[in-house]
Amino acid sequence: MKIAFSDFDGTLYFHHEDIIPQINIEAVNEWRSKGNIFVLCSGRDVHSLMHEVNNQELTYDFVICNNGGTIFDKNLKLIKSFPLDKIQLEKLVHSDIAKESWHILFSSAEKMRTTINSSKSQLLKYFESEKYKNQDIIKKISVEQALSEMNVIQISLAYETEEIANNYAKRINSEFEGAFLANMNLNCIDICAKGINKAQGVKELLNLQKDKYFEQVLTIGDAQNDVPMIKEFEGYSLNSATMHAKNVATKLYDSVGEMLLDNL
């Protein structure tokens, strides 16, 4: 038995076409039909992820969300989660780091809520586009409401450039008593509990499945937040990926489907 972990956005699914290519869907089905396990591994929260997945004919066995902060079975039952330290979180969201962000996106295992601090925020699409209108994927909320109402697993921040985001990520990792791990994703920062990233999410799920023997663990992703799991498991990336992911991949493919079929 083999197990494959695939990033979603930019790896399995492509926004500009709003589609999971058919080769990926067919390869996942063939992969699973041979008794192998397929896992979605995303930086998204589970609700926004499923809004995209449910419109496609994709099957899967587990879902890892929030860069490893939450793990779900195929029925979307929460198996494990890693909440943020509440004292340090309150300190962070009231700091200049958060106030300079285009938004503060709060994710729990149950819901996703956000502040909007700038008209540049990419989250505005959830409120403005026909695709997301009237969908309970995300709602605007105050910082105080989020802190009092949510058991926060991850917050996400966004800035004008990747350089600005990277500088703030370094501060987050050093100024909050080791409470957080800032996972870079282009001009965005996904902030999880200390030690939590996609590589750790993969390890946690493998540990939960320790009664099974996996002859091979495959990982594939396209962006900076995928780098930990690609490096840890000598995984793969796409020819269309960012250089962050390409530089650590053992092999490049044109699609997830090609990678799965190559390793059957």
Side-chain angles (χ1 to χ4, degrees), residues 10-241:
T11 303
L12 193 71
Y13 162 84
F14 297 91
H15 284 278
H16 59 281
E17 298 176 352
D18 193 24
I19 194 171
I20 299 175
Q22 194 62 29
I23 186 176
N24 292 345
I25 293 173
E26 291 176 359
V28 168
N29 289 339
E30 184 170 354
W31 176 262
R32 297 181 71 241
S33 74
K34 303 294 185 183
N36 300 311
I37 291 177
F38 183 73
V39 185
L40 293 171
C41 192
S42 176
R44 289 186 187 229
D45 87 301
V46 71
H47 302 291
S48 65
L49 178 64
M50 286 301 117
H51 182 71
E52 308 295 354
V53 171
N54 290 340
N55 292 325
Q56 316 283 337
E57 297 177 359
L58 181 72
T59 60
Y60 51 86
D61 298 285
F62 296 94
V63 179
I64 298 174
C65 286
N66 305 119
N67 290 291
T70 49
I71 302 174
F72 301 86
D73 67 15
K74 64 182 179 182
N75 298 313
L76 302 184
K77 178 183 177 182
L78 182 67
I79 301 173
K80 199 162 188 178
S81 65
F82 300 89
L84 297 178
D85 180 285
K86 293 183 178 180
I87 294 174
Q88 293 300 318
L89 175 60
E90 183 168 6
K91 179 180 174 183
L92 174 57
V93 296
H94 287 109
S95 72
D96 63 303
I97 296 172
K99 290 177 181 177
E100 292 296 321
S101 172
W102 291 348
H103 55 250
I104 307 174
L105 177 63
F106 298 87
S107 295
S108 70
E110 296 80 27
K111 56 188 176 183
M112 182 170 68
R113 299 292 183 259
T114 191
T115 66
I116 299 291
N117 302 333
S118 169
S119 60
K120 296 179 180 180
S121 171
Q122 58 268 55
L123 298 181
L124 288 172
K125 68 182 180 182
Y126 289 106
F127 305 100
E128 297 172 352
S129 73
E130 290 298 322
K131 179 179 179 179
Y132 298 107
K133 277 185 179 178
N134 303 317
Q135 299 289 331
D136 187 23
I137 299 173
I138 187 172
K139 292 181 179 178
K140 295 179 185 178
I141 196 172
S142 70
V143 168
E144 289 70 26
Q145 284 177 297
L147 293 174
S148 64
E149 298 174 9
M150 299 176 68
N151 188 24
V152 181
I153 303 292
Q154 174 179 281
I155 69 167
S156 299
L157 309 175
Y159 302 92
E160 189 72 41
T161 67
E162 185 173 338
E163 181 181 4
I164 294 171
N166 190 53
N167 288 334
Y168 280 131
K170 290 177 181 177
R171 285 185 56 191
I172 291 166
N173 288 333
S174 65
E175 294 181 10
F176 295 89
E177 300 181 14
F180 306 125
L181 177 60
N183 294 287
M184 283 289 297
N185 191 2
L186 299 177
N187 66 320
C188 299
I189 311 172
D190 295 330
I191 301 154
C192 299
K194 179 181 179 180
I196 299 301
N197 57 22
K198 287 191 177 184
Q200 188 60 34
V202 171
K203 290 179 183 178
E204 292 289 343
L205 181 53
L206 291 174
N207 188 54
L208 291 168
Q209 298 291 301
K210 59 187 176 183
D211 58 320
K212 297 183 175 67
Y213 171 71
F214 296 111
E215 59 182 286
Q216 193 173 7
V217 177
L218 294 82
T219 60
I220 187 167
D222 77 306
Q224 195 167 351
N225 64 332
D226 299 309
V227 167
M229 72 173 183
I230 296 173
K231 288 180 66 175
E232 182 74 26
F233 295 94
E234 299 181 353
Y236 310 108
S237 189
L238 301 180
N239 288 308
S240 59

